[in-house]
Amino acid sequence: MEMDCQVTEPQCCETTTLEAVQAPALGECCIQLISDCEVDSFHVDISNGTFSASSWNCGTMPTDYVGQSSYTFDVAQCAVEMSSCITPDSTGIVSAVYTIYYTNGEVCEKSVELDCVAQTSECCENVKVDVYQDPDLGECCARFISECETDSVLVSISNGTFSTAT
């Protein structure tokens, strides 16, 4: 028995990955897109956030995407590997929908959800540091007052050392 068979090529959408890459220490929510196929362009729609930074392997990265919640990236026939970070509008779920247009004519839609924490400037605006001279001890003192819950405080002292802290 003889059979005339063709090798089935995997479809581009099946070999493309889109995943959440969160960096909580940086306060960032990031997404990584990897395609083994050549991509012509892809469009991204973000809910509850905007682009803050991206990098890729496809030549010069445009800059006008920063601060946008919807953007079309022209990849110009490249098997793209791209990382993008998003600044959330508010703490909670950030979703991103990628519509990818491959050079072979295939169109693919992939989405990802991230659980992000919004960085607010309200807390920083409500922090006070009062510097004063302690009349009883003759020491230079500082009082840190925050109206927000504080995880940690880093203090750098030049020309002196801590004598006491409460």
Side-chain angles (χ1 to χ4, degrees), residues 14-109:
E14 293 172 2
T15 62
T16 299
T17 60
L18 183 68
E19 62 185 9
V21 182
Q22 295 184 273
L26 302 174
E28 295 182 337
C29 288
C30 302
I31 301 170
Q32 185 173 42
L33 170 70
I34 299 174
S35 176
D36 293 337
C37 294
E38 286 187 348
V39 174
D40 184 48
S41 65
F42 59 93
H43 181 79
V44 184
D45 285 314
I46 301 170
S47 297
N48 189 31
T50 57
F51 283 107
S52 60
S54 292
S55 62
W56 68 9
N57 63 325
C58 296
T60 304
M61 172 65 74
T63 56
D64 56 343
Y65 70 91
V66 175
Q68 302 296 317
S69 62
S70 182
Y71 191 82
T72 300
F73 291 90
D74 184 10
V75 185
Q77 301 177 350
C78 175
V80 67
E81 291 184 21
M82 179 177 173
S83 294
S84 296
C85 292
I86 296 170
T87 301
D89 294 335
S90 62
T91 297
I93 299 298
V94 171
S95 64
V97 177
Y98 284 61
T99 305
I100 306 159
Y101 301 91
Y102 299 95
T103 57
N104 68 359
E106 188 179 340
V107 178
C108 175
E109 185 173 288

Side-chain angles (χ1 to χ4, degrees), residues 2-6:
E2 287 186 34
M3 296 173 55
D4 186 15
C5 300
Q6 290 182 328

Side-chain angles (χ1 to χ4, degrees), residues 61-162:
M61 172 65 74
T63 56
D64 56 343
Y65 70 91
V66 175
Q68 302 296 317
S69 62
S70 182
Y71 191 82
T72 300
F73 291 90
D74 184 10
V75 185
Q77 301 177 350
C78 175
V80 67
E81 291 184 21
M82 179 177 173
S83 294
S84 296
C85 292
I86 296 170
T87 301
D89 294 335
S90 62
T91 297
I93 299 298
V94 171
S95 64
V97 177
Y98 284 61
T99 305
I100 306 159
Y101 301 91
Y102 299 95
T103 57
N104 68 359
E106 188 179 340
V107 178
C108 175
E109 185 173 288
K110 296 220 175 231
S111 62
V112 67
E113 288 187 343
L114 303 97
D115 190 7
C116 301
V117 176
Q119 301 295 319
T120 61
S121 60
E122 293 173 11
C123 287
C124 191
E125 293 168 1
N126 292 313
V127 170
K128 296 177 189 171
V129 177
D130 295 329
V131 178
Y132 63 96
Q133 187 81 25
D134 186 315
D136 297 330
L137 301 174
E139 294 177 324
C140 183
C141 301
R143 179 181 293 123
F144 172 82
I145 303 167
S146 174
E147 295 178 14
C148 293
E149 188 173 317
T150 304
D151 181 44
S152 63
V153 177
L154 173 66
V155 179
S156 298
I157 300 174
S158 60
N159 194 22
T161 58
F162 273 113

